[in-house]
Amino acid sequence: MAITHLLMDDERFKHYQEQAVRAFNKKLGYNNLKAALCLHNIGCAHARKKRLEESLSCFEDALRIRILHLGNHEDVAITLCNMSFILFEQKEYFMSLELLNESKGIMELRLGSNHKMVADVTHYIGHVYDLKGEQSNALAWYKKTLVLKKIAYSDDDVVLGIDYSCIGNILYDRKEYEEALFYLENALRVRQAYLPDDNLDIATNLYDIGYVYHDMGKTADAINFLEKALKMRKILLGFDHYSIEDTNSSLGHMYAKQGDHSKALASLDEALRIHQTNETYEKVADTLNNMAIVHRSAGDVDKAIVCYEEALQILHKCASGDGMKSHDIYFNLGNLYDGTNSNEKAMECYNHALRGRMEAFGENSNHVAAVLSNMCFVHFKLGERDMALAKLEEVLRIRKHTFGDDHEEVATAYYNLGVLHLRRGELPIARVRFEDALESFRVIGIGDSNQIFANALRNVGLIAQQM
């Protein structure tokens, strides 16, 4: 019943239908049912070509004739349903739902409330709510569809798979992982029972289940399902499809999480190859960024730096050099240069990150404070002690503005100021700042188990011995 299920392959089909309309009108007079069928089919052909206005006009003409001759007939319901799809594409969501509900009412009247076509329209209503972002309504309609389909078909029919999947994905979005897993596993069960092993819906199911396991913290189970999905997608879609890249990227992240850096890099390298082949350059930069993170985790700082720098070059070439991605990469690259005592390069990167984050988030953002905090210690290593102190005072101001006086980030800012004053040999001020940090930690209930608290307490004791 959906538009994509109707015969509407090419322009010649539309042409023949238009000729048929003229012939039927000449022989039978205007407003005849055979012309209505042709108009309906022409509407489907226009819809397939995304000519939405033309499609809607044809459906409206077909609907008018069918109502004239048939009244509340299932053919009228089908045209209403297809019109609703066009209205949805035009983002006329309210009207789309109105027509679907009208179609459902006619089908229930003509065919009975448990008919297969009623179940289909019930699913479409859920789908509209789902794409609108109204997940609670979508969930309710998908569950109604499941009940209807179990009556119209059977408890284990393959047609239940799409509703099980839709429900499972909504529950995943709502972080209701156990229930999501129940529905997604049922979708997989009915599909594996009826469909061939190399079916794309099964591959998607495997991928979705893998991500539920990932978010439940069960990384090994997640990898198992994603590896199966990847194998099937390569067979069905070829090696250069975006789904292969997406699965490889996800696997790269999960392998890295398990500490398997070689597998992580192999998966990300395959994702990189696909993006380079398809010339999706921002995705190339994303993947290089992810590879840099893995190299850094593996302790290979030089390779991480190369990946970050290549990512930045690509973003600059594709006019994204001042975007959020580049700001984050500059920040991460600054960290690496900072760690290797390449202080001038670190400061250059931090300055890029600071400008970008201030433009994106404003000067009182915690993202800005993170950059300033790192810059401060580079200033100190460069002998720019006043600049270092000014940066840390600004960090404290932003943290207080963002979190209030009683927060771990504020306490940490006090501690860092204490460290800086201690390095400057300003023991009385350093002691005050360490005590400020200790007081902030105590107010929020953090004590000796926190390493920064313990360090602050030790430093207060050491300063007291020296004063």
Side-chain angles (χ1 to χ4, degrees), residues 315-372:
L315 288 174
H316 283 299
K317 285 180 181 178
C318 63
S320 299
D322 294 324
M324 282 304 306
K325 293 175 184 176
S326 63
H327 305 158
D328 291 339
I329 293 173
Y330 273 123
F331 181 74
N332 293 334
L333 186 55
N335 283 338
L336 288 182
Y337 282 133
D338 189 357
T340 59
N341 289 318
S342 301
N343 299 320
E344 288 81 5
K345 287 185 176 181
M347 190 60 74
E348 181 182 352
C349 290
Y350 285 146
N351 275 316
H352 279 293
L354 181 64
R355 284 195 299 272
R357 289 187 174 186
M358 288 184 77
E359 289 176 7
F361 301 111
E363 62 181 16
N364 291 322
S365 165
N366 204 36
H367 297 286
V368 170
V371 182
L372 291 169

Side-chain angles (χ1 to χ4, degrees), residues 217-259:
K218 298 180 179 180
T219 307
D221 290 324
I223 288 173
N224 180 43
F225 278 93
L226 261 66
E227 286 177 339
K228 291 177 182 177
L230 179 63
K231 183 178 179 180
M232 292 178 68
R233 284 176 167 177
K234 283 181 176 179
I235 293 169
L236 294 165
L237 301 171
F239 285 74
D240 295 331
H241 193 269
Y242 74 89
S243 292
I244 308 302
E245 174 280 321
D246 180 55
T247 313
N248 270 309
S249 294
S250 298
L251 278 168
H253 169 72
M254 293 178 193
Y255 288 135
K257 199 170 182 179
Q258 283 200 316

Side-chain angles (χ1 to χ4, degrees), residues 406 411 434-445 453:
D406 301 324
F434 285 133
E435 288 173 344
D436 288 338
L438 291 170
E439 179 60 24
S440 292
F441 278 126
R442 289 189 183 109
V443 168
I444 59 178
F453 180 95

Side-chain angles (χ1 to χ4, degrees), residues 417-460:
L417 278 165
V419 170
L420 188 57
H421 284 295
L422 185 61
R423 289 180 179 179
R424 287 163 59 104
E426 299 165 350
L427 300 187
I429 303 176
R431 180 174 180 175
V432 169
R433 289 310 193 189
F434 285 133
E435 288 173 344
D436 288 338
L438 291 170
E439 179 60 24
S440 292
F441 278 126
R442 289 189 183 109
V443 168
I444 59 178
I446 292 178
D448 292 346
S449 60
N450 180 279
Q451 188 60 52
I452 297 177
F453 180 95
N455 289 344
L457 193 62
R458 185 193 67 223
N459 288 339
V460 168

